Amino acid sequence: MLSSALRVRGQRVATSVHLLAAARLPSAYPARYLSSAPKELSPYQKLQKWLQPFVTGSKGLYHENKQAWALRRRVMEASGRAGLSRREMLLLRQAHRDLLKSLPILAIFCVPVLGYAAPLLGYQFPKQLLPWQFWRPDQKTQFFREDVLTRAKTYPELAQLLLQIEHKDDTLQEMMALAKAAGGGGLRPTQVAELAPFFEGPAALHALSSKHIHVLAEGSALFPSFAVLNKLLMQSQLEKRLERRMEELSVDDQQLLKEGVDDLSLSELEFACQERGIVTQYGDIEKLRAALKEWLSMYDTDHFDPETNPQRLPPSLLLHAPALSSFAKPEDGDEVDPTV
């Protein structure tokens, strides 16, 4: 009897222990879940996270200009025979542009107290005040597309100004009429190249009117947001700037003809097409590559040799080419709304 009573009491105690453990489980689980929940960032951590893109962009801008200075020193030491690659040449061209664009925001950043507003202004107007090192990849694609579409608004006027130039023959007018009758988006790149004598003569930069030069400067502006400042410059100043830019672009074309475009990254293709004012589907690497190849088809690629037969086109032709031809232009239904 005694053993039976003890056994029953033991079972009751065990049952009570199990019930007590079960009663405690619900209160234990939330504590475990709360311990794995993400902790809220402190104000300092939030500030760090907010400033991170600005810090990263500043470092990228610093390293770009540091490399550019090293390349300039190398060119000077080699007396202009350094043999730079295309990427190095691009870095040399782009470094001073990026630094110049960032000067206003950097100046504000250096002012005591007021400097805290620099990131705010940069984030509010990244396209206007910050170079590409501060942009996200999607912003870079969007801003390049917007810039090219803004420049493309001047293309119809440029084409009309060309048609008004008096010439001994009507080759351009005939080509444009045939292209319009065929329903195309303009001349083929090879047809544009056939107009080289026209752009070396009556349509050469020095022969264009002041209005034509200013429209041309607006249509080829790397930073369309500041293109209005070109109106403050004299025609001769704009001509020199346009000639210098087209000389750089011509050298870049020679290097692309030599090295090819198949190994270029999305970023490099976007830079190349934007610099030339090519309207195409930015963000699509294959369409960008096809557009750049179309541009290079203006040259006689079958007989190109960088040493014995370099290919050169008149600066005025390179400036007007985007207005006369469509280089892999997107279909009407595929064109991306720049406001998206």
Side-chain angles (χ1 to χ4, degrees):
M1 293 290 293
L2 181 60
S3 61
S4 299
L6 290 174
R7 188 164 51 251
V8 171
R9 179 173 292 184
Q11 290 175 349
R12 289 178 179 176
V13 171
T15 303
S16 300
V17 171
H18 286 302
L19 290 174
L20 181 60
R24 288 180 177 177
L25 279 176
S27 61
Y29 281 136
R32 186 171 62 184
Y33 290 150
L34 287 174
S35 63
S36 62
K39 295 181 180 179
E40 186 178 354
L41 298 177
S42 66
Y44 177 71
Q45 290 173 324
K46 290 180 180 178
L47 180 63
Q48 277 188 320
K49 184 177 180 180
W50 184 68
L51 289 175
Q52 185 59 40
F54 194 82
V55 174
T56 303
S58 300
K59 289 181 179 179
L61 185 64
Y62 167 76
H63 287 301
E64 181 189 57
N65 281 273
K66 183 179 179 181
Q67 292 175 12
W69 277 108
L71 288 173
R72 291 190 187 99
R73 192 180 307 112
R74 186 172 128 198
V75 171
M76 291 179 63
E77 292 174 353
S79 301
R81 300 178 181 178
L84 301 181
S85 67
R86 180 184 175 271
R87 286 185 174 90
E88 291 172 330
M89 292 288 290
L90 176 62
L91 191 147
L92 275 179
R93 289 202 313 274
Q94 193 65 30
H96 74 278
R97 297 172 185 168
D98 294 335
L99 185 60
L100 185 64
K101 187 177 182 181
S102 63
L103 281 180
I105 203 76
L106 290 176
I108 296 174
F109 189 73
C110 294
V111 178
V113 182
L114 187 61
Y116 291 106
L120 287 173
L121 291 172
Y123 289 138
Q124 188 67 27
F125 306 101
K127 178 181 174 183
Q128 291 79 13
L129 297 178
L130 297 176
W132 64 272
Q133 289 90 346
F134 296 82
W135 300 343
R136 299 190 309 269
D138 61 311
Q139 285 182 320
K140 184 179 177 183
T141 296
Q142 176 189 345
F143 294 160
F144 276 4
R145 180 171 59 242
E146 290 175 355
D147 283 349
V148 171
L149 291 177
T150 299
R151 291 164 60 178
K153 293 177 181 178
T154 66
Y155 293 172
E157 185 177 2
L158 281 175
Q160 289 300 317
L161 288 170
L162 283 175
L163 292 173
Q164 294 171 10
I165 295 176
E166 295 183 1
H167 191 38
K168 61 182 180 181
D169 59 50
D170 298 326
T171 304
L172 176 61
Q173 287 83 346
E174 292 174 359
M175 284 184 174
M176 295 292 287
L178 289 173
K180 186 176 181 180
L187 304 180
R188 295 191 302 275
T190 51
Q191 290 178 309
V192 176
E194 293 174 6
L195 295 170
F198 174 66
F199 286 104
E200 290 173 339
L205 277 179
H206 62 82
L208 300 178
S209 65
S210 176
K211 178 183 178 181
H212 198 145
I213 289 292
H214 279 83
V215 176
L216 200 55
E218 183 180 356
S220 60
L222 289 176
F223 306 123
S225 302
F226 302 101
V228 66
L229 298 177
N230 289 329
K231 296 180 180 180
L232 304 177
L233 300 178
M234 298 175 60
Q235 180 178 348
S236 58
Q237 293 174 310
L238 286 177
E239 286 179 11
K240 290 180 180 178
R241 292 180 63 178
L242 292 173
E243 285 180 352
R244 184 170 62 250
R245 270 205 54 212
M246 290 306 103
E247 177 61 28
E248 294 174 349
L249 198 63
S250 179
V251 171
D252 192 52
D253 283 347
Q254 304 305 304
Q255 291 178 312
L256 285 172
L257 288 169
K258 179 181 178 181
E259 300 176 13
V261 301
D262 292 333
D263 294 332
L264 297 184
S265 65
L266 174 62
S267 178
E268 290 172 323
L269 288 168
E270 287 182 331
F271 263 112
C273 290
Q274 186 264 355
E275 193 172 20
R276 289 159 176 78
I278 297 175
V279 179
T280 186
Q281 193 73 26
Y282 286 78
D284 189 319
I285 190 169
E286 294 304 326
K287 289 187 178 180
L288 286 163
R289 184 175 287 113
L292 191 55
K293 286 182 177 180
E294 282 284 297
W295 173 276
L296 295 175
S297 69
M298 290 191 298
Y299 297 90
D300 185 8
T301 54
D302 293 334
H303 302 92
F304 169 75
D305 186 280
E307 302 297 334
T308 61
N309 188 28
Q311 301 290 316
R312 299 284 180 179
L313 292 173
S316 183
L317 186 150
L318 294 175
L319 285 164
H320 287 93
L324 296 175
S325 182
S326 57
F327 301 93
K329 187 176 180 179
E331 300 294 334
D332 293 339
D334 296 336
E335 188 167 348
V336 180
D337 186 353
T339 61
V340 176

